[in-house]
Amino acid sequence: MKFDAMVLGAGIVGTSVALQLQRRGLGVALIDRKAPGNETSLGNAGLIQREGVYPYALPRDFASLAHYARNRATDVRYHPMAMPRLAPFLVKYWQHSRADRHTKIARAYSTLIEHCVSEHRELIEAAGAQALLRKNGWMKAFRTGKAFDAAVAEAARWREEYGIDFDVLEGDALHRTEPFLSPVLRAAVRYSSSDSVSDPAGLVGAYAKLLEKLGGKVLVGDASTLEKGWRVRTELGDVQADVAVIAMGPWSGDVTTKLGYRLPLEVKRGYHMHYASKAGATLNQPVLDAEIGYMITPMVRGIRLTTGVELGLRDSPKTPVQLEAIEPLAREVFPLGERLDSEPWLGRRPCTPDMMPVIGPAPHHRNLWFAFGHAHHGLTLGPITGRLIAEAITGTPPAVNLTPFRAERF
């Protein structure tokens, strides 16, 4: 089977790349070991974060580091045995999180973020997936006035620097917006220019169906068999293409390493569980319990409770201690009913130490492209990443300067 391009990885990023290439007239094969949207893209909070111009930095103050070192925090846990392996990555992450460097990173990162809502909405319209989209933003809720005041000041700075809209909801205003939230949440910052979706995997599936409608192919295959040329094995036989795009999220390094690249890619693990709602309680938008570090989001399947970050090796067994710790706290905030999943879901966010994705051509291979490392913003940045890769491959000047995101920066 011969195609103009093959895309390895059928998460939100890879599916978006394949779809954008197919829309520009190339014949595309989208290849993964699972159906589209059934790995990392399955388990996020469904946010399309227009406000996310500052990627999540590592705390640098001693008090925070000491707090997390005890390994009892609700928002961050770590596997002690994984620390020797992760230490070099974390040191670089800590260095890039310095305030002046973080600000510089945000200037580049914001050029991607500014397109996230418009690119998603355009693809959602084309894919007929409007039923999955919510345009009412999401909220970061607080238990104490001190934390809330700091968040308002931060949001005001983001509005001044990048034009990010937000609303302040205090007391009755918050509980009129979300009447089933407990009064323990006293106030919230609502990011009104962001969107969310009620089924992230379903959205990826809708994009994949549009790809097939336009003539592209979705195939089950083994990306580890990639050979220069470009050729890869699938269940229907070998696929060959002029161009290959590696968009395998946390597994991208498995292939790039075989090709001779040493890219600093690690993972932040996270868990989710779905719940029924008690007594007809409803949730209208995603809500972050910011001082505890978990999110509740209304999804097609139920209320999704997502944890913060677990630092560990990518393939280590599940250790959902965070979920067990936050579930009682979440039940105090919203009337969650019974669990709807047989076991917690584990996902892995692909991260780089400078908090920015790798987007662009491979430095040492012709017609090989990289699109991975989006960390917490894979869903947010999938469509714009797909557009930029497709524009670059087809010879159109990309809408965003790709230089800050190229692999050569490492």
Side-chain angles (χ1 to χ4, degrees):
M1 293 180 285
K2 183 71 169 63
F3 294 85
D4 297 316
M6 66 169 71
V7 180
L8 305 179
I12 182 60
V13 175
T15 301
S16 296
V17 171
L19 176 55
Q20 296 284 28
L21 285 168
Q22 189 73 35
R23 296 176 91 195
R24 286 162 175 77
L26 276 68
V28 182
L30 177 62
I31 301 169
D32 202 324
R33 61 186 178 181
K34 293 186 177 181
N38 276 272
E39 273 290 0
T40 306
S41 295
L42 179 69
N44 57 75
L47 302 181
I48 302 170
Q49 291 186 255
R50 177 63 185 87
E51 89 294 339
V53 290
Y54 278 84
Y56 297 104
L58 191 71
R60 289 179 57 91
D61 62 286
F62 177 78
S64 295
L65 293 174
H67 170 68
Y68 290 124
R70 291 193 291 268
N71 208 20
R72 295 183 179 180
T74 49
D75 55 343
V76 178
R77 294 288 179 98
Y78 63 88
H79 293 178
M81 296 299 291
M83 288 300 101
R85 156 77 183 273
L86 296 178
F89 175 89
L90 292 173
V91 168
K92 293 178 181 177
Y93 186 11
W94 183 81
Q95 292 170 339
H96 284 294
S97 298
R98 199 176 70 190
D100 58 332
R101 293 181 178 177
H102 197 206
T103 298
K104 182 179 179 180
I105 287 167
R107 284 197 290 268
Y109 201 71
S110 65
T111 63
L112 297 175
I113 289 289
E114 68 176 300
H115 298 281
C116 66
V117 168
S118 58
E119 291 296 318
H120 260 295
R121 287 185 180 181
E122 196 272 331
L123 287 188
I124 286 171
E125 183 74 22
Q130 296 92 333
L132 301 178
L133 178 66
R134 291 185 294 254
K135 298 182 179 180
N136 59 339
W138 71 280
M139 66 169 60
K140 186 183 291 187
F142 296 88
R143 296 163 178 251
T144 66
K146 180 179 179 181
F148 171 64
D149 291 342
V152 172
E154 179 182 66
R157 179 164 63 92
W158 293 354
R159 179 166 60 188
E160 181 179 352
E161 293 177 356
Y162 296 105
I164 304 301
D165 292 330
F166 71 96
D167 303 320
V168 170
L169 302 171
E170 298 185 72
D172 291 343
L174 169 59
H175 296 287
R176 284 195 299 271
T177 304
E178 292 291 351
F180 291 95
L181 289 180
S182 164
V184 70
L185 297 179
R186 299 169 51 183
V189 173
R190 188 175 73 90
Y191 293 108
S192 54
S193 58
S194 297
D195 286 349
S196 65
V197 295
S198 60
D199 184 357
L203 181 66
V204 178
Y207 290 172
K209 288 180 181 178
L210 178 58
L211 166 69
E212 293 181 301
K213 182 179 178 181
L214 297 176
K217 300 294 183 183
V218 177
L219 301 170
V220 175
D222 183 0
S224 69
T225 65
L226 180 67
E227 299 176 356
K228 297 175 186 176
W230 298 100
R231 182 187 299 271
V232 73
R233 296 175 198 160
T234 76
E235 288 187 345
L236 299 181
D238 284 2
V239 166
Q240 188 173 0
D242 299 325
V243 174
V245 182
I246 297 175
M248 299 165 58
W251 294 275
S252 298
D254 294 352
V255 176
T256 59
T257 298
K258 289 182 178 180
L259 294 171
Y261 297 95
R262 297 293 183 267
L263 301 175
L265 189 69
E266 294 293 348
V267 302
K268 294 179 183 176
R269 293 155 50 111
Y271 299 85
H272 82 225
M273 173 64 67
H274 290 99
Y275 300 82
S277 297
K278 287 183 178 178
T282 58
L283 189 67
N284 300 313
Q285 63 201 294
V287 176
L288 173 68
D289 189 345
E291 292 167 81
I292 304 298
Y294 68 84
M295 181 166 279
I296 50 175
T297 304
M299 293 286 184
V300 169
R301 180 164 172 75
I303 301 298
R304 178 178 289 183
L305 173 61
T306 58
T307 71
V309 169
E310 181 183 76
L311 296 174
L313 302 183
R314 185 190 67 188
D315 299 326
S316 295
K318 294 179 181 180
T319 54
V321 293
Q322 276 178 299
L323 185 67
E324 302 302 328
I326 64 174
E327 182 179 304
L329 300 173
R331 289 186 181 279
E332 294 175 359
V333 165
F334 184 84
L336 297 174
E338 71 275 14
R339 287 185 169 190
L340 300 178
D341 303 327
S342 59
E343 61 177 343
W345 179 88
L346 167 65
R348 304 151 180 93
R349 308 173 184 95
C351 302
T352 65
D354 66 358
M355 296 163 273
M356 297 201 298
V358 181
I359 305 173
H364 308 303
H365 292 81
R366 187 171 178 270
N367 292 332
L368 178 66
W369 295 76
F370 296 158
F372 51 79
H374 292 73
H376 297 263
H377 289 153
L379 179 66
T380 293
L381 297 177
I384 182 57
T385 299
R387 174 183 169 182
L388 296 173
I389 290 286
E391 287 174 339
I393 288 175
T394 58
T396 302
V400 171
N401 178 14
L402 291 178
T403 300
F405 313 104
R406 291 170 67 117
E408 289 92 332
R409 72 184 192 268
F410 299 117

